[in-house]
Every structure is written in C-alpha cells, then in structure tokens.
Amino acid sequence: MILRGGTSKGAYFLASDLPPAPPERDLLLLRIMGSPDARQIDGIGGAHPLTSKVAVVAPSASADADVDYLFLQVGTDEPLVSDRQNCGNLLAGVAPFAIERGLVDAAADGLVTVRIKMLNTGSIATARLETQAGLPIYEGVTTISGVPGAAAAIALDFEDIAGSSTGALLPTGNRVDDIHGVASTLVDNGMPVVVMAASALGVSGYETCAELEQNAALRTKLEAIRLEAGVRMGLGDVSQTTIPKLTIVSPPQSGGHLNTRTFIPHRCHDAIGVLGAVSVSTAALLPGSPAYALVDQLSNDVATDSLVRLEHPTGVFEAVVEIVHTASGEMTVKRAGIIRTARKLMDGIVFPRSE
Ligand code: NQM
C-alpha cells in the first residue's frame, strides 16, 4: 500500500510479504523503488529522500505494543537501504495501514489507540485516530504545513525517545559544542540533530531550499561539521548514514518561536522531519543553546504549555515537548507529542524490476 504519512510518502509492506533476511529484503526494495537512479524512473520511488521511504509493519513481538514498525530509507541515486534512522512522518501512516490489513482490531466507529514499537530505535509511539465501520477515516479538517488541503488528525505521542540513537538526550553531555568554530547543540530527542545558528554559518536562514543546496561552500562546511558531530555523538563514521541531521536556526518571521532550515542530511527538507522537529524543539527549550537564544521570548508560550512552533520552508510545525529539570541540573523529557495526517493513496501489486 502507498500512503502519504505526514509530509512524506512511502510504500508500506507487511513484514510477512517481504524476505525475512535484510540483504535479500533490501535488494528487493531497491528494485521496487527503482534505485539506484536519481529519477527512480523504473520504480515507485518519488526521486527525493522524502518520497523514497518504506515502512515494514508486523504484529508486535513486544507485550507493550500492538504493531512493530521498521522504517527503511531507500537511497535514490545510491543503492543503499538504511535502518539507521527512524521516520516520524511515515509513522503517521502505520496505524491506518495496520487497521486496513487487520493487524489491529479497530472499533467499528470511534477513537482507536494503536501502540507502535518503532524498531529502529526501540521506543514506543501511541497513535490515536478515528475509525468508521472498522476502517480509518482519512477525510478531516486538520491541515499540516507542507501538505495541501485537510485530512483527519492522527495524534502521535512518544515515550522514551530521548537518546533514541545515541543513548542520551545530550550525547556529548554539553549543551553547546564548538565544531569547526560553530556553536552547535548536539541533541537526540527522537532523532540525532546538530542545531546551529544561521548567522554562525554566514547565511540568513531565510533562503529557499534551492538557494541553500546551491551554496557549495555552506554544504562543504555542513558536511565537515556533521562528520565531526557524528563521532562526538557516538555514531562513529556517519559518511554513509542519514543521521545526524542538521538544522540551521534563525529568529522567527511569521508568528512562530524559531525559524528553521533542515538538511536530511544532504538535501534540504521542504518542511522538517517529525522527530527532527521534536529534537530541535528540545534545543529551543535548552538555555544556552544557539536555538534558545533565538527563540522569540516575547510571544513565548513555550515556557507555559511547552508548545514550540518551528517555522520551516513551507509553514509551521508544532511540537509539544515537556522538559523537566532535575535537582542535579539534568534534563529529562516528560512528554513529547505531535499531530499529523495520513492518507491511503493506492493499494495493489507492485512489479519489481528484474535483478
Ligand atoms: O524526523 C526526514 C521526514 C523525515 C524524517 C528526515 C522524520 C522525522 O520528514 O521523524 O519524519 O529527517 O530524513 O519524513
């Protein structure tokens, strides 16, 4: 089944329909998506990291979840399939897909809760959505920036996502690290991200994605920072991985708390990733970080209700992140949640390219 999940689009499979061994599974997925090829012309991939994604879903092997969700990022022009990162956008389509496939016993009508074990990081997300006659309702009134029109809301709450890939909310133990002369917050609240002020990189932060992608000096600098950040975050050599992400922040312009441009990690995101946004929102709440310094403190409802509005190239992303400061000065995350929408686009048989 192909679903739009949040601001991404992907192919959703039952694990039982794919080869169980990852090498075989990955070769098949490359053939299905049409990779390697920048246009993915001979497959169903959409020729961009945000539309070259796969979700593998199965009844959960864990007692504390209903379904297991494995996210796979399929390279476009490179023959790579990676399970190193999670995806909170495709996550939005997991509960509808699981209900459609009968993995979850949905109420005939009404609100259904689906607990999802995110196998990439081992943490749990709870999805809440409305059903009718035992099937997901896709139509609704909720809009999310980066997606035209409105659709039914899917509420996603995250548990224990701090340190998802690196083991700690602040993997270096610091609120700020100097990397190649740029003050950076290395944060992992669901997604490892390097957060830097645009001004420290010689850009305004309001450039379009195309302008930023064309800035060769900026991209060289960002990749050098990313490689060093990867080592410092305990991720090792990240030259072939899609984490950590990079987010450049600047003061808000249109009523949000903070303006962002995110690299995932080489293409600029049209919006911002879900878990990436949760990590950047966390940095925005962290006194001393380059993000905190730029948050619009005047229109600040951040401190009171923990809602952080991140401006991005196609609108605003809202995340709720509740941080608790312990007596010993440590920070823990009490709650993180977001709202997404998803839509079933097609259900059928895919014909992979021959080997
Ligand atoms: O951060 C893009 C996306 C993502 C991942 C990326 C995501 C997340 O927008 O949870 O959703 O960072 O590669 O789908």
Side-chain angles (χ1 to χ4, degrees), residues 1-332:
M1 185 177 287
I2 298 182
L3 290 100
R4 172 183 66 74
T7 49
S8 286
K9 184 155 61 178
Y12 290 68
F13 294 93
L14 290 175
S16 53
D17 286 341
L18 291 172
E24 241 180 283
R25 176 200 66 200
D26 293 352
L27 285 175
L28 176 62
L29 292 175
L30 288 169
R31 287 159 50 212
I32 288 174
M33 301 302 273
S35 302
D37 170 31
R39 291 196 304 150
Q40 293 183 316
I41 197 67
D42 206 21
I44 62 170
H48 189 280
L50 298 179
T51 50
S52 183
K53 301 188 161 192
V54 166
V56 183
V57 182
S60 185
S62 317
D64 56 352
D66 300 307
V67 294
D68 287 346
Y69 155 53
L70 177 71
F71 169 68
L72 297 171
Q73 180 71 55
V74 180
T76 51
D77 46 1
E78 287 187 285
L80 295 175
V81 177
S82 172
D83 65 2
R84 286 284 301 274
Q85 80 160 83
N86 196 355
C87 175
N89 273 305
L90 277 213
L91 171 68
V94 170
F97 174 73
I99 294 169
E100 295 262 6
R101 288 286 187 263
L103 301 189
V104 174
D105 202 6
D109 292 320
L111 191 67
V112 173
T113 299
V114 182
R115 284 176 63 80
I116 302 165
K117 179 106 179 182
M118 304 189 287
L119 296 184
N120 303 81
T121 52
S123 45
I124 298 238
T126 303
R128 286 186 188 79
L129 69 165
E130 295 285 341
T131 54
Q132 190 171 37
L135 285 173
I137 298 177
Y138 295 102
E139 287 81 45
V141 297
T142 302
T143 56
I144 57 173
S145 300
V147 179
I154 299 176
L156 296 168
D157 285 315
F158 299 105
E159 289 167 28
D160 298 328
I161 52 171
S164 65
S165 303
T166 63
L169 185 65
L170 299 172
T172 62
N174 307 323
R175 294 181 176 202
V176 189
D177 285 273
D178 182 302
I179 305 189
H180 299 310
V182 176
S184 310
T185 294
L186 312 184
V187 58
D188 176 8
N189 196 10
M191 181 72 74
V193 186
V194 183
V195 183
M196 299 152 286
S199 56
L201 292 157
V203 292
S204 72
Y206 308 110
E207 293 85 355
T208 63
C209 272
E211 284 165 349
L212 291 173
E213 286 188 356
Q214 280 155 19
N215 185 338
L218 173 73
R219 292 184 59 177
T220 303
K221 175 103 190 170
L222 287 178
E223 187 61 4
I225 291 172
R226 199 179 78 82
L227 293 178
E228 174 63 22
V231 173
R232 294 199 199 179
M233 294 173 99
L235 295 167
D237 174 8
V238 296
S239 55
Q240 297 298 313
T241 67
T242 56
I243 53 171
K245 313 288 178 184
L246 303 156
T247 297
I248 301 172
V249 297
S250 50
Q253 279 193 320
S254 35
H257 296 112
L258 187 68
N259 180 53
T260 65
R261 293 291 182 269
T262 299
F263 283 83
I264 57 171
H266 303 119
R267 298 295 303 272
C268 173
H269 202 303
D270 299 333
I272 186 168
V274 167
L275 292 160
V278 174
S279 286
V280 176
S281 299
T282 306
L285 296 168
L286 190 60
S289 85
Y292 184 87
L294 297 169
V295 166
D296 181 353
Q297 303 290 346
L298 289 177
S299 69
N300 189 351
D301 41 14
V302 172
T304 46
D305 59 11
S306 310
L307 174 77
V308 183
R309 290 194 301 274
L310 299 176
E311 298 178 3
H312 58 67
T314 48
V316 177
F317 187 104
E318 296 191 347
V320 172
V321 182
E322 217 175 308
I323 303 283
V324 182
H325 296 269
T326 62
S328 59
E330 301 222 328
M331 293 191 2
T332 57

